[in-house]
Amino acid sequence: MDSAGQIPAEPIPVHLSAIRRHFEISLYFLLLTGVLTLVSTGKLDLVTILALPAAMLFKGYRWWHGKGPEISNRIATWLTVAYFIFFPFDLWIISRMLAVGAQNPSLYAALLATIHLMLFATVVRLYSATTTRDYLFMTMMGFTSMLAAAILTVDTVFLGFFFIFLGLAVSTFVALEMWRSAQGTVTRPMESGTSAANHLHNALGITSVGIALGSLAVGAIIFLILPRFSGGYMSGLNMQSTMITGFSDDVELGEIGEIKKSSMVVMRVTVDGGIIAAHGVRWRGVALTKFDGKRWYNDPHEPATLTSPAEGGWFRLNSEDVQAPNTGMPIHYTVLLEPIGSTVLFFAAEAESVRGHFTDDSGRTPFGQRRTYLLQDFTGSIFNPYHNYARMEYEANSVVPRPPPAAVREAGSNYPASIRETYLQLPSLDSRIPELAKQITARANNPYDKARTMEGYLRSHYGYTLDLSGTPQADPLAYFLFQKRAGHCEYFAAAMTVMLRTLDIPARYINGFQTGEYNDVAGDLVVRASDAHSWVEAYFPGFGWLTFDPTPPSDDKPPGMFAQLSHYWDWFELQWGEWVINY
């Protein structure tokens, strides 16, 4: 009691305002959601997966019980500086070890090291936050965590976390703005834990959910309307780029047929002279030399390295046959190749020179320059050693061979020993196959006429189909020639290559793409996965390798009334990707 006999009132505890309390709770769960989303990707190291949630939960426990910051701003600053010193070691040692086996190890290591830095800064700021600026920084870190998770994965778990994050983000930013606006006012702040505070929490929660659902609805509409790309600025970070099989040193019969079922754009080619200059041109990818009855492949070999581009950045490509005359139709073109997860580059016939950005961040020299080189195998196929994980543009010069048929008929059959050794190999065959080859070419008296006769026979006596469902055959080539009598380009090309070899004519199997559809709006050729194609190259002394295509035309329907509209749409997608997505 005091001197007047009164019981003194107890000191009124200092409560957080209800708005600030709501903001801190929303912010904490926002950060926790971002962290758990990153952990759920399964792409982080074990130390981060265990230590990070533990640090978050410990801080949440203390925050819930009204505990203040654990470290001062000065210590937080020194810890951040120390980590920046540690960052190069993480980038070049730790993250490099974690990135072993990734499709793009250098970019993946840089991404992991940056995520480690971001998460460390988030935890340090969480344990030292005292100002509105600190809280705003943490909200940005929460958003960055979700962005990093979106790069690492796009599965349904991420989608669930994203919905939660979106509601918490709305709640956090609304509460932050209310709290900042209330600072400095003369009215007494609403205390946390009161009935009015509970009503405020409920109102903010309902408002946040409503705004989040509205945002999702609008976002869904935008997603359906605007074009979407696997390329763009972030395509270089994509760890799961679209893979197209059929363009490697090992291809089974049927793989090209699977590719042809997709309408995905593979590349766009701009040819000097337009569609007239590009008429009949095929985009050559890989040449395969050996056949085991079901699979085409090349023996392991060491490709030639093409380095030191000439003036202007042009690579001079080595001709496979130096004795072949360099005559034909010259063609210059530019290829915009979409990310297909393959090393192969595509050219018209045999390219003479090529120029482009063929490099990778891991290829830096001590002076900061990037080494640039290409690989060329013994068949003349060209490869980019860094893989095509991002959209790539290159230009090239080729000569499409068009020798006079009369001259080729006189070429004879005096093949070099290296050609005979490599391009006459045959597996064990059904005896009917060489017999059929002799019957088809019985009236032809030179290798060129035999090849043309066989090409015409297959085109006219067999049908084209992509439907090859049914029980896998022990001898797919014999089944195609004598029973099914229909197939897609792989079977026609394989049959002609094998039958030419039974006649002692060197031949090889080629995988690539047909000319594509000309877009008169954009002035380019749009080459899709459905344009994937296989054909044959046969060797003639003095003229080198000439192209033969035994596949009959498919029964594609002619362009309808919307064909021109699709050209405008394709042009719009290209411009959108170049000037919006990439920018």
Side-chain angles (χ1 to χ4, degrees), residues 447-471:
Y448 179 77
D449 283 340
K450 289 180 181 181
R452 285 297 179 205
T453 301
M454 188 176 296
E455 177 188 48
Y457 182 88
L458 290 172
R459 290 174 68 93
S460 59
H461 287 72
Y462 291 81
Y464 182 90
T465 180
L466 286 176
D467 183 13
L468 294 177
S469 58
T471 305

Side-chain angles (χ1 to χ4, degrees), residues 145-178:
S145 298
M146 291 299 295
L147 180 61
I151 295 174
L152 292 175
T153 184
V154 288
D155 59 16
T156 52
V157 175
F158 169 80
L159 187 62
F161 276 119
F162 176 75
F163 289 155
I164 298 173
F165 180 86
L166 185 59
L168 289 170
V170 174
S171 175
T172 301
F173 280 101
V174 169
L176 174 61
E177 187 58 33
M178 293 177 65

